[in-house]
Amino acid sequence: MGFKRYVEIGRVALINYGKDYGKLVVIVDVVDQNRALVDAPDMVRSQLNFKRLTLTDIKIDINRVPRKKTLIEAMEKADVKGKWESSSWGRKLIVQKKRASLNDFDRFKVMLAKIKRGSLVRQELAKLKKESA
Amino acid sequence: FPFPLTYIARLLRIHISERKREEEAESNQNSFAAMAPRKTPVVSRNPQLIRGVGKYSRSKMYHKRGLWAIKAKNGGVFPKHDPKPKAAATPVKPSKFYPADDIKMPLPNKRKAKPTKLRASITPGTVLILLAGRFKGKRVVFLKQLTSGLLLVTGPFKVNGVPLRRVNQAYVIGTSTKVDISGTNVDKFDDKYFAKAAEKKNKKGEGEFFEADKERRRASCHKTRRMTRRLSMQHCLNRLRQCQI
C-alpha cells in the first residue's frame, strides 16, 4: 500500500490542464512544494504546478536539469514514446483522439464494423448455446 | 463687411477647377469636333496646400494652363465651338388622359439576382447530409448548382431512394467526403427540368401534356443515374449506408 509514483527527477508526467493539455513531459527539477520545472523535446523548459500534472509509471535516468540534447537522448534510450503508446493508459488516449477526429464517413464505417463484430459475437454465442443445450 | 481675400481666392479656384472639368466633359462629348481625347488622365496642375486653397494664384494658373497659348493660336480670343445641331425633336402627341392626382411611383430597382454563393466546402461530388424535407438525414451526392441557386443532388436513387432533386444550400451539411463524378454529364438538368408541367386551358390537352412530361423525365433520369452509379468509387459503401439491418 502507499504511493507508487513519486515526483522525482526523470519522472514522466502528463499535463492535464492548460495550453499544453495532453502532452508528456519530464520533471527535471523541483522548484518548491508546489511547482516543478518541466521539459519536453518539443517545448520550452518551464515551470508547472503539480496540480497540472498527472504522474505516469515511466521514469527516465537523467541528472538535474539536463540539456535539451541530453534529455532527448535519455528519452530515446528509455523509449518513453514506445512505453507510453503500449501502456493501456496511452492506448486509451490515442483511441480518444482518433474518435474525436472522425469524419462522417468514418463514423459510418465504424458503425458497420461494430455491427459486424456484434453479429460475429452473437453467432458464436448461439453456437455455444446450442452445444450446451 | 469685406470678404477675406482667401475666401474669394478659394471660390475662384473652385470655379476654375469646375470649369476645367466641364471643358473636359464637353471635349469628351464633342471629341471629334473639338480637341483630341486626352491620353493621360486629368491631373490638377494646382496642388492643394490645404483643402480649398491652391498653391498657385489665379494669374499663375492662367499661365500654367496655357490659356494664353490657346488664345494666341486663335487670334487673341478663346476658341468657341458652335453647339452640335440637335436632332429634330419627334412631334409629341398630347395625351388624352391626365390622372387627377399625382401617383407615387416606386423607385426603380435595377438589381439583378445572382445565384447563391456556394459554400467552399461544397464541390461537385461532395457527399451532403440533407437536413429537412422528405429525405432528411439522408446522405446524397452533390452534382451541380443550378442557375436558381439550388443544388442539384441525387441519392443515387438505387442506393438510398433519393432521386434527382433540387435542394437549398441552407438545409444541407457538406461533409468532407468526396465522390468522383467526373464522368457524369449533368448539363441536361436545369431548373426548367423541374418546373411543373404548364396547365393547358384545354382539358383534353392537359392529360397529354402531363404524360409527355413524365416520360421525358423518366428517360433522362435513368441515364444519368446509371452514369452516376458507375462512376462513384465509393458506391458499394454508400449503398449500405441507409440499409436497415
Side-chain angles (χ1 to χ4, degrees):
Chain A
M1 76 157 243
F3 295 96
K4 293 205 196 74
R5 300 172 188 163
Y6 293 95
V7 170
E8 46 201 332
I9 294 172
R11 173 67 58 186
V12 174
L14 188 71
I15 300 183
N16 59 27
Y17 182 92
K19 192 165 60 90
D20 298 312
Y21 179 83
K23 269 200 186 155
L24 273 184
V25 290
V26 179
I27 295 176
V28 296
D29 198 3
V30 172
V31 176
D32 61 12
Q33 199 194 5
N34 296 318
R35 288 179 296 160
L37 192 63
V38 128
D39 203 357
D42 60 340
M43 81 183 226
V44 176
R45 194 195 304 148
S46 58
Q47 56 91 8
L48 272 185
N49 194 315
F50 286 121
K51 293 189 176 175
R52 292 197 175 198
L53 296 173
T54 322
L55 304 178
T56 67
D57 287 330
I58 308 170
K59 182 180 182 304
I60 65 176
D61 188 20
I62 52 170
N63 291 322
R64 192 179 72 90
V65 194
R67 287 178 183 276
K68 202 56 156 242
K69 204 170 74 165
T70 324
L71 176 69
I72 293 174
E73 277 172 17
M75 286 182 89
E76 298 273 314
K77 192 151 156 262
D79 192 23
V80 169
K81 190 155 182 260
K83 280 202 202 133
W84 176 246
E85 285 176 1
S86 57
S87 72
S88 55
W89 184 0
R91 289 202 321 260
K92 263 190 283 175
L93 288 192
I94 290 171
V95 168
Q96 281 175 16
K97 226 182 255 179
K98 192 83 192 8
R99 282 220 185 102
S101 72
L102 281 181
N103 205 344
D104 180 58
F105 190 39
D106 292 333
R107 269 175 259 134
F108 173 70
K109 287 189 261 186
V110 165
M111 175 185 76
L112 292 184
K114 279 191 184 168
I115 290 169
K116 197 164 196 176
R117 181 182 66 179
S119 74
L120 287 176
V121 168
R122 252 175 254 127
Q123 275 173 23
E124 289 298 311
L125 183 63
K127 262 192 239 164
L128 290 174
K129 274 195 180 163
K130 207 169 175 190
E131 283 172 22
S132 73
Chain B
F1 62 105
F3 281 70
L5 267 175
T6 48
Y7 181 66
I8 295 173
R10 194 205 302 173
L11 287 177
L12 288 172
R13 277 174 201 132
I14 293 170
H15 176 72
I16 290 169
S17 60
E18 274 178 33
R19 177 95 190 284
K20 239 169 71 178
R21 247 178 275 134
E22 272 176 51
E23 280 179 20
E24 287 301 336
E26 215 188 294
S27 77
N28 284 340
Q29 283 171 17
N30 321 338
S31 51
F32 59 93
M35 307 179 275
R38 290 184 69 97
K39 286 186 187 140
T40 54
V42 179
V43 175
S44 169
R45 291 184 225 274
N46 194 359
Q48 282 193 335
L49 300 171
I50 272 177
R51 186 178 79 109
V53 177
K55 185 173 172 188
Y56 298 109
S57 67
R58 186 180 178 150
S59 50
K60 276 262 160 53
M61 281 311 297
Y62 174 88
H63 179 78
K64 276 172 93 73
R65 287 172 61 204
L67 300 178
W68 55 273
I70 297 172
K71 275 191 176 175
K73 226 173 162 190
N74 204 34
V77 179
F78 206 80
K80 238 184 161 182
H81 292 285
D82 296 319
K84 254 169 82 177
K86 281 199 187 147
T90 51
V92 180
K93 270 175 80 175
S95 57
K96 283 187 202 170
F97 172 71
Y98 291 98
D101 305 312
D102 286 331
I103 320 166
K104 280 213 165 173
M105 296 295 297
L107 295 171
N109 183 4
K110 295 214 182 92
R111 289 179 177 166
K112 286 211 178 99
K114 287 191 280 190
T116 331
K117 186 152 180 250
L118 197 59
R119 260 180 269 159
S121 60
I122 301 178
T123 63
T126 315
V127 172
L128 309 174
I129 306 176
L130 298 181
L131 296 173
R134 193 177 181 287
F135 301 104
K136 58 173 163 283
K138 299 273 200 244
R139 273 83 169 158
V140 295
V141 177
F142 169 67
L143 298 173
K144 73 169 185 181
Q145 186 183 29
L146 304 168
T147 47
S148 66
L150 299 172
L151 313 180
L152 179 65
V153 128
T154 181
F157 183 70
K158 286 275 172 147
V159 169
N160 55 13
V162 180
L164 266 183
R165 205 166 198 266
R166 291 184 302 174
V167 141
N168 190 316
Q169 203 191 156
Y171 300 101
V172 138
I173 297 179
T175 64
S176 55
T177 316
K178 312 266 184 214
V179 169
D180 179 24
I181 60 165
S182 47
T184 58
N185 182 2
V186 278
D187 295 337
K188 202 193 297 192
F189 302 103
D190 60 347
D191 289 298
K192 265 186 270 175
Y193 174 83
F194 292 97
K196 295 207 167 103
E199 291 181 24
K200 262 191 147 184
K201 280 186 185 170
N202 187 5
K203 279 205 173 170
K204 275 193 188 166
E206 224 177 80
E208 284 172 10
F209 227 107
F210 275 129
E211 279 177 23
D213 194 44
K214 272 193 196 154
E215 279 173 24
R216 167 175 64 101
R217 286 184 187 218
R218 244 179 272 134
S220 30
C221 266
H222 273 310
K223 276 191 203 153
T224 331
R225 284 196 213 117
R226 248 179 264 137
M227 283 196 275
T228 334
R229 257 183 29 223
R230 272 191 220 123
L231 293 155
S232 19
M233 292 191 297
Q234 303 178 344
H235 167 64
C236 1
L237 289 168
N238 278 352
R239 186 191 273 277
L240 296 169
R241 177 160 293 166
Q242 271 86 38
C243 180
Q244 311 295 324
I245 295 177

